[in-house]
Amino acid sequence: MDKSLITLLFSCTLLISLCFPPSVAQTCRDYAFSGNRSFSTCNDLPQLSCFLHWNYHPSNMTADIAFRKSGASTSNWISWALNPRRAKMAGSQALVTYQQSNGSMYAYTTQLNKSPNMQPGGLSFDVPSITAEYSSDGNMIIFATLQLSDILLSTNQVWQEGPMKGGNPGTHSFSGQNGRSVGNVNFINGSVLSTSGTSSKTQKRNVHGVLNAVSWGVLMPVGIIIARYLKVFKSAGPAWFYLHVICQSSGYAVGVAGWATGIKLGSDSPGITYGTHRNLGIIIFFLGTLQVLALLLRPKPDHKYRRYWNIYHHTIGYTTVVLSIGNIFEGFDILESENNWKTAYIGVLVFLGVVTAMMEALTWFIVIKRKKTASSAKHANGDNTYGSRLQQTA
C-alpha cells in the first residue's frame, strides 16, 4: 500500500479518536466502594446521575443500600426515599445527607409531608444504621440498613438533590430531571422501573378514578337533571323517563367497574388504607344498589304508597350524588393528580350547575304560567256556568 495513503489513514484515525473519544459514562457496576464494601445488586437510576446499590437479606427482610450521586457538589444535599403510597416525594420516608461546614458528612432520616422542613425524624420503618461519605472522585454516598416489610419489598422510590441554604437543605428544582426522578424498586429481583412515564399501579389508579368520576360524578347527576326538568315539557313525553333510566343504569354499571378496580387496588396494596375514601366508596355503592333495586319495587303513579317511594327515591339519589362528588375530590387528593385533572372536573361541575340553574328557572316559569292559565280557565268556566244558570232561571 502506498505510504502516503497509510499516513493519511493513520492521521484520520488519530483525529477521530481525539475529537470523538470513547464513552466513559459510568455505570453502577464499575464503581469500587471504600472499605471493601460490595453490593450484589445495583441499578443506574435514569435521572440526576444517581445509582442505587444493595444487598437484600431475605432471612430477616433487611437491605443494605448505598445511594450514590456522581459529580456531586459539596454545596448540595442529596436524598433517596421510599414511598409505598404514591410515586411522589411528598409523604415519602427519606434518607438525607450533606456536607457540614467542618467538612464532615451529616446523614439522617426524615418524613416528607406536603410542606417538608427536612428536619431529622423517625420513619415508618426502622433504619438501624445510616452513614454518608464524600469520596475523592466526587461521589456523595448514603449508606444505610433498612428493615423492610412486605409492602416495601417492591415499592416507589424517589431521589433528589438541591442546594444548601443557611446550613440547611433548601428547595430543589421541580423541573427537568428533578421533576422526573421517581421510579419503582424491587429489592428481591433487583429490578428498577422508571416512572417518568406511568407505572402499572398508577395506571390502575387512573382507571379507577376515571371510571368513578364519569359514573358517579357525571352520569348520575345528568340522570337526575333529566328526571327533574325534562318531564316538565309535555313534548318530552315518556322519553325523559327512558333517558333517566339509561343514564342511571349505565352510571351504576360503570360505577361498579370503578368500585371493583378500587377493591383490586386495595388487595394489591396490603397495609395501605385510605379510610375516608374507602368508607365513602362502600356507602356510595350500597346507596347506588338500593336505587337500582328500588326500580323493581316502583309503585304505579296512582298507588297510595307512590308518594313515599318518591321521597325515598329522591333522598337516596341526591345523597348518593353529593357523597360521590365529595369522594371524587378525596380521590384527587390521594392521587395528588395534576391540577388539570381536578380543574377539568370542576369545569364539568360548573357546567352542570349552570344548566341546572337555567333549567330550574325555566321550568318554574313554565309551571307558574300553566297554573295561571289553568286558574284563568277555571274562572272563565265558572262565569259561563253562572251565566247559564241565570238564563235558565229567567
Side-chain angles (χ1 to χ4, degrees):
M1 184 182 291
D2 187 89
K3 288 184 178 181
S4 60
L5 181 58
I6 295 176
T7 302
L8 179 61
L9 289 174
F10 177 76
S11 300
C12 290
T13 303
L14 180 61
L15 181 62
I16 291 173
S17 64
L18 291 174
C19 294
F20 304 98
S23 174
V24 292
Q26 191 183 78
T27 66
C28 65
R29 298 191 182 279
D30 297 333
Y31 194 76
F33 289 94
S34 63
N36 294 320
R37 292 186 180 97
S38 63
F39 297 91
S40 60
T41 309
C42 70
N43 284 109
D44 302 348
L45 300 179
Q47 310 295 337
L48 300 175
S49 301
C50 292
F51 308 86
L52 182 66
H53 309 250
W54 75 89
N55 295 320
Y56 174 63
H57 310 287
S59 59
N60 57 6
M61 292 182 67
T62 61
D64 300 318
I65 69 101
F67 171 69
R68 179 168 60 90
K69 158 70 179 174
S70 67
S73 169
T74 55
S75 60
N76 283 354
W77 56 267
I78 64 169
S79 176
W80 176 84
L82 296 178
N83 193 341
R85 289 182 176 270
R86 56 183 68 88
K88 298 274 188 179
M89 181 62 83
S92 63
Q93 313 292 307
L95 314 179
V96 183
T97 190
Y98 59 85
Q99 189 177 76
Q100 300 180 103
S101 58
N102 61 8
S104 64
M105 296 298 297
Y106 178 48
Y108 63 97
T109 61
T110 183
Q111 292 195 46
L112 303 176
N113 53 34
K114 289 186 177 181
S115 300
N117 55 22
M118 299 289 282
Q119 295 302 306
L123 305 185
S124 62
F125 54 89
D126 289 334
V127 180
S129 68
I130 178 171
T131 60
E133 71 175 32
Y134 186 80
S135 63
S136 58
D137 56 358
N139 281 267
M140 191 176 288
I141 310 169
I142 300 174
F143 298 101
T145 298
L146 313 179
Q147 180 62 64
L148 302 175
S149 59
D150 288 336
I151 63 172
L152 296 176
L153 293 178
S154 179
T155 190
N156 301 305
Q157 65 168 339
V158 288
W159 60 98
Q160 276 296 344
E161 70 169 340
M164 295 294 296
K165 288 191 176 181
N168 295 303
T171 303
H172 64 80
S173 171
F174 292 92
S175 60
Q177 293 193 41
N178 293 85
R180 299 190 299 271
S181 55
V182 59
N184 183 276
V185 59
N186 189 311
F187 287 101
I188 298 175
N189 64 26
S191 66
V192 168
L193 170 68
S194 170
T195 53
S196 52
T198 305
S199 69
S200 174
K201 184 173 288 186
T202 301
Q203 288 177 338
K204 291 178 182 177
R205 284 182 170 185
N206 290 341
V207 169
H208 168 71
V210 169
L211 289 176
N212 285 290
V214 170
S215 58
W216 306 106
V218 177
L219 289 175
M220 289 289 187
V222 168
I224 289 178
I225 291 172
I226 289 172
R228 179 169 176 81
Y229 300 115
L230 288 192
K231 64 182 178 182
V232 175
F233 300 92
K234 294 180 179 179
S235 58
W240 72 264
F241 175 74
Y242 297 113
L243 288 173
H244 171 68
V245 171
I246 289 172
C247 276
Q248 303 303 84
S249 300
S250 57
Y252 178 76
V254 176
V256 169
W259 187 74
T261 59
I263 296 297
K264 176 62 176 173
L265 281 169
S267 65
D268 289 344
S269 307
I272 300 177
T273 57
Y274 302 101
T276 302
H277 186 65
R278 180 194 61 190
N279 294 335
L280 283 175
I282 292 172
I283 293 171
I284 291 165
F285 175 75
F286 175 73
L287 294 177
T289 303
L290 284 180
Q291 283 289 73
V292 172
L293 295 176
L295 290 175
L296 304 176
L297 303 174
R298 179 171 173 262
K300 293 182 178 180
D302 57 351
H303 196 282
K304 63 179 181 180
Y305 292 123
R306 179 58 181 263
R307 177 172 177 270
Y308 302 105
W309 185 91
N310 284 342
I311 293 173
Y312 154 83
H313 185 60
H314 295 161
T315 302
I316 297 296
Y318 288 126
T319 302
T320 301
V321 167
V322 170
L323 291 178
S324 297
I325 292 173
N327 208 28
I328 288 168
F329 282 101
E330 184 75 17
F332 285 142
D333 291 339
I334 291 171
L335 283 173
E336 289 192 344
S337 55
E338 296 181 7
N339 288 333
N340 54 355
W341 281 61
K342 186 181 290 187
T343 302
Y345 184 63
I346 291 174
V348 171
L349 292 182
V350 170
F351 172 76
L352 292 178
V354 171
V355 170
T356 299
M358 293 175 62
M359 293 299 292
E360 188 74 19
L362 178 61
T363 51
W364 269 109
F365 173 78
I366 292 173
V367 169
I368 292 173
K369 185 177 180 180
R370 283 178 184 170
K371 285 184 177 181
K372 288 182 178 180
T373 302
S375 178
S376 299
K378 183 178 180 180
H379 286 302
N381 290 334
D383 292 341
N384 290 338
T385 302
Y386 180 70
S388 298
R389 287 178 179 174
L390 285 177
Q391 290 177 0
Q392 290 174 3
T393 303

